Amino acid sequence: HRQCMKKYGALVWSLGKVRFGRSWREGIGATMSLKLSSRLERLGTETAYAVSAEAKALAKSSGRKVYGMHIGDENFETAPEVTEVAKAALDAGRTTYTPAAGIPELREAIAEHMSQERGVRTAEGKPFYRADNVVVQPGGKPVIMKFLLSVMEPGDGVLYPSPGYPIYESLIRFYGGVPLPYTYTTAGDGTLCLDMAVVRRQMDAAPARKVLIWNDMHNPTGYVASAAEHEEIAAMAVARDMWVLSDEAYFHVVYEKEDFGRSIVTQEGMRERTVILMTMSKTWAMTGWRLGAAVGPAHVIEAIAKLATNDEGCTCHFTQVGAVVAFQDADHPRTHAHSDKIVAELRRRRDRMLELVAQVPGFMTPGGRPPRSTFYMWVDVTEAFRLLGLPTGPADPGSIGRDYETFRQQILRETHVAFCTRAHFGQALPDEDRRYVRLAFSGIDIPDIEEGMAALGGYMTRVRNEAEAKAGPAAAASPAAAAHPVAHPRRLNLGRKPRVFCTRQMPKDAFEILGGLVEVEMWEDYDAPPRDVLLEKARNCDGLISLLTDKIDEELLSACPQLQVVTQLAVGYNNIDVGACTRHGVRVSNTPGVLTDTVVETTLTLLLACSRRVVEADKYVRRGDWKVSWHPLMLLGTDMHDRTLGIVGLGRIGGKLARVAKAIGARIVYYDAWPNAALEEDGTVERMTDLDELCRQSDFISIHVNLTPETTHLFDENRFAKCKPNCILVNTARGPVVDQRALARALKNKTIAAAGLDVFEQEPISLDDELLQCDNVVLMPHLGSASLGTRSAMSRLVGENMRAYWEGKPMNQLVNPDVED
């Protein structure tokens, strides 16, 4: 053929032009009538690669750097030990076919590794998985393909995560399944959570026969399911006799110790129905080696191996030899140290990216939290969409997809930051009201992350300023503005001094800082202003200085069109409807940080007052009951040293209390939705993921959580029943976290020993409240931060925040940064 074309190529080329009026190759294509299979119309693709091509083209055409945050490829070297063994295998001629299921030594190594790390053993204590439970594959995608072909009939329903790895939905449709997406939503604190209501609905949807694709350590969100979610998902799968594919590609890329080793296969009844997808790509930086495996019941593994025989035949021989090293801890511990270093570096990148995302107008992570797993950051860009004039809220999936593409391309063009959007992870669902993008930090170093985020932040700041400059009375009145309100610009040119109403007497520091910049009216009564007075006073004011007892809500904001800023003399702000303030363009600030030490001292005071019976002793002396100078059994109390203190909520205050109590000699356990790795690593605290278990172990319990719908009555009758009879409970956080009536009953019935309270459900507490009849409770009138130094520091923050606003400077303690200039 080569000789023929060399001799007659020119003639053939010219004849092609004469015959078809165009090139020979194009002519042949134009006249062919052969068609492709119609099933290809159902096949999707992984569109992140198209973003890569676009980013490379932009870099080439512009001559400028493109910041690649779009694809999950790692810029780490494979462990040298793995590479060396693979090279030696190549040199030794290990380039022949292997069994379709993989070389025996790799299958055995994977079986032992998976049994050990997933914690699955036989009744005799031996590894649950054997070599015949493993089939080696060239990556993760072939596992998904062959699993579905092995267990799914056309017309079966398949539950899968959306957003999720796009190949799930593509292959479900290609093989004739019925896609049943389950979704993620936001919890009350704004953090991401699995929408279990949708999962339950899809479990009960038609068709009756179903398969489940479960992806913990979830791509693209980095979400890690809770133990309760694992338990419920497993129970539903067992009850419906479903096959389950557990995609654990990111199993090792976790950032909190308690998340490591968690697999749904450990749930009752799941070993017999679950195939685990594992890959070498993410853990050992081996994306281009194309190595993965399916691990599961022998008969389905045999079916997958049979499909492999009819497909790729086998996985590359010498790469399999190299991979064996990664699973042999005893012989090659450096391989795992290399993996640990990769995860440590990913954590550094994650934490830095989190800091920078928070500074980009219109960008925020759910709840302000980083991902617990993977190397992706899931970012809410709903406000950024609005700033760019793009629609948000539920819509036709096709329209949502086009809007995402417009947003992505505009950001790429203006900032050279490349990322993937929600639309790259399965078709958006019609009822999705938020907009998200995924930022990858696996293939980009911290300096480039900083440069890229600076470019993104600068562009979005300009967009926001332009949007605010355009927003005026006419824009605010338009239907579009009503649907997507943009915070109004600061009205600094009032033609007069701003008027500020202060709802209570307070230390003078704030007013000294404000000087003559504003006109301040202070409420002189000791009690809080009545509601009607507050509304009347605020009506003509430009700023408010508020306390926790002042309700700042939609009613007040609507009645006060001039109001621009609220500075709160407190850390908490559950009295303020922050969302309503944001809609009205009202900035809100608080006073965090300065009262931490003082509240810790108050907490310790209550702990010791209760444990050493200080109030009882004081009354004992005053009543004249002290008849004997000293007695071995007089008013015996409880030591804190060598006892267990359970801290519920390990934020700034809880963390500082942990260090103080540790110095006393207490053992510290804590319960929090978010781990504190630093305090765990230095041995200060131990984390408990079950609050009831914390109650069962703790001699003292101190509460330090925010008040949310989820924490209201967190401690109720059932919770008290889990506590030790000698337990002492202290609450210096928010009153409604404790069911006050249930606490009174627990104290009277000696369900717990004592309590110390600085906060109450109703403040001030009613004189007929049952707690006042208990002699084993110490009560304080909300004095947690009541020291001269701390209240002065709080007052200074109030003054600094208020002054900064009217001078057009950033407010350092801004609660709702979406409206900041």
Side-chain angles (χ1 to χ4, degrees), residues 323-383:
V324 174
V325 178
F327 295 103
Q328 295 177 336
D329 293 359
D331 295 336
H332 296 280
R334 285 183 298 165
T335 306
H336 290 265
H338 183 80
S339 174
D340 292 342
K341 287 180 181 178
I342 290 174
V343 174
E345 173 59 21
L346 288 172
R347 180 197 289 273
R348 288 182 62 242
R349 297 180 188 182
R350 177 199 70 160
D351 293 347
R352 183 59 178 144
M353 182 176 277
L354 179 70
E355 294 174 4
L356 298 171
V357 165
Q359 299 172 25
V360 179
F363 282 56
M364 62 179 292
T365 58
R369 301 287 178 85
R372 297 170 69 103
S373 178
T374 76
F375 32 64
Y376 309 116
M377 193 158 292
W378 194 239
V379 181
D380 187 329
V381 293
T382 308
E383 183 59 26

Side-chain angles (χ1 to χ4, degrees), residues 705-770:
V705 296
N706 294 327
L707 179 61
T708 68
E710 290 74 25
T711 61
T712 299
H713 286 190
L714 184 66
F715 279 79
D716 56 11
E717 197 151 10
N718 291 330
R719 192 79 69 199
F720 290 127
K722 305 293 194 307
C723 295
K724 290 182 173 183
N726 67 316
C727 178
I728 293 172
L729 177 83
V730 166
N731 185 14
T732 56
R734 290 289 175 264
V737 174
V738 175
D739 182 340
Q740 216 158 284
R741 291 184 178 180
L743 174 60
R745 289 192 293 271
L747 290 169
K748 288 179 179 178
N749 299 333
K750 307 299 181 184
T751 306
I752 65 172
L757 303 177
D758 184 49
V759 289
F760 304 88
E761 288 198 74
Q762 175 190 332
E763 296 183 358
I765 189 171
S766 172
L767 292 178
D768 59 1
D769 193 287
E770 294 177 85

Side-chain angles (χ1 to χ4, degrees), residues 383-439:
E383 183 59 26
F385 263 61
R386 292 173 178 170
L387 291 172
L388 288 166
L390 294 169
T392 60
D396 169 73
S399 298
I400 296 176
R402 288 189 292 273
D403 292 336
Y404 269 125
E405 193 61 8
T406 299
F407 179 79
R408 184 192 65 79
Q409 289 183 351
Q410 184 166 344
I411 296 292
L412 177 61
R413 184 172 59 250
E414 296 291 339
T415 70
H416 280 219
V417 174
F419 53 72
C420 291
T421 71
R422 160 68 178 90
H424 289 94
F425 304 100
Q427 189 177 62
L429 305 178
D431 59 350
E432 292 183 14
D433 60 348
R434 310 294 297 177
R435 300 292 181 263
Y436 293 94
V437 300
R438 187 194 76 173
L439 304 180

Side-chain angles (χ1 to χ4, degrees), residues 317-614:
H317 193 158
F318 66 87
T319 61
Q320 291 190 61
V321 176
V324 174
V325 178
F327 295 103
Q328 295 177 336
D329 293 359
D331 295 336
H332 296 280
R334 285 183 298 165
T335 306
H336 290 265
H338 183 80
S339 174
D340 292 342
K341 287 180 181 178
I342 290 174
V343 174
E345 173 59 21
L346 288 172
R347 180 197 289 273
R348 288 182 62 242
R349 297 180 188 182
R350 177 199 70 160
D351 293 347
R352 183 59 178 144
M353 182 176 277
L354 179 70
E355 294 174 4
L356 298 171
V357 165
Q359 299 172 25
V360 179
F363 282 56
M364 62 179 292
T365 58
R369 301 287 178 85
R372 297 170 69 103
S373 178
T374 76
F375 32 64
Y376 309 116
M377 193 158 292
W378 194 239
V379 181
D380 187 329
V381 293
T382 308
E383 183 59 26
F385 263 61
R386 292 173 178 170
L387 291 172
L388 288 166
L390 294 169
T392 60
D396 169 73
S399 298
I400 296 176
R402 288 189 292 273
D403 292 336
Y404 269 125
E405 193 61 8
T406 299
F407 179 79
R408 184 192 65 79
Q409 289 183 351
Q410 184 166 344
I411 296 292
L412 177 61
R413 184 172 59 250
E414 296 291 339
T415 70
H416 280 219
V417 174
F419 53 72
C420 291
T421 71
R422 160 68 178 90
H424 289 94
F425 304 100
Q427 189 177 62
L429 305 178
D431 59 350
E432 292 183 14
D433 60 348
R434 310 294 297 177
R435 300 292 181 263
Y436 293 94
V437 300
R438 187 194 76 173
L439 304 180
F441 47 88
S442 54
I444 182 169
D445 294 322
I446 287 179
D448 282 345
I449 290 174
E450 291 173 339
E451 286 182 22
M453 296 307 295
L456 183 59
Y459 173 65
M460 288 308 303
T461 298
R462 293 194 300 274
V463 168
R464 182 192 58 195
N465 292 343
E466 290 169 5
E468 292 183 346
K470 291 177 182 177
S478 70
H484 309 297
V486 177
H488 59 71
R490 295 180 179 176
R491 293 162 289 186
L492 300 178
N493 299 320
L494 299 174
R496 54 173 173 76
K497 288 185 179 181
R499 290 190 282 264
V500 175
F501 178 60
C502 180
T503 65
R504 212 70 49 83
Q505 298 178 48
M506 57 185 283
K508 62 183 180 180
D509 303 71
F511 311 113
E512 291 176 349
I513 289 170
L514 288 169
L517 181 66
V518 300
E519 292 179 2
V520 178
E521 179 184 0
M522 183 186 295
W523 181 250
E524 297 292 346
D525 290 1
Y526 190 82
D527 294 337
R531 178 66 173 177
D532 59 338
V533 173
L534 176 61
L535 290 173
E536 182 59 35
K537 293 288 186 182
R539 195 179 310 277
N540 297 314
C541 282
D542 308 294
L544 273 179
I545 298 174
S546 60
L547 273 70
L548 284 167
T549 48
D550 305 317
K551 191 173 182 181
I552 312 298
D553 56 7
E554 182 66 41
E555 179 192 23
L556 183 143
L557 295 164
S558 297
C560 305
Q562 293 180 197
L563 187 62
Q564 299 184 48
V565 59
V566 175
T567 56
Q568 172 119 320
L569 186 77
V571 174
Y573 45 85
N574 49 284
N575 59 307
I576 301 176
D577 185 337
V578 176
C581 287
T582 301
R583 289 193 300 274
H584 284 268
V586 175
R587 278 79 178 163
V588 178
S589 71
N590 62 341
T591 58
V594 296
L595 49 71
T596 297
D597 291 345
T598 304
V599 175
V600 168
E601 291 173 6
T602 301
T603 304
L604 194 62
T605 298
L606 285 171
L607 286 166
L608 293 173
C610 292
S611 64
R612 300 306 302 272
R613 303 171 67 178
V614 172

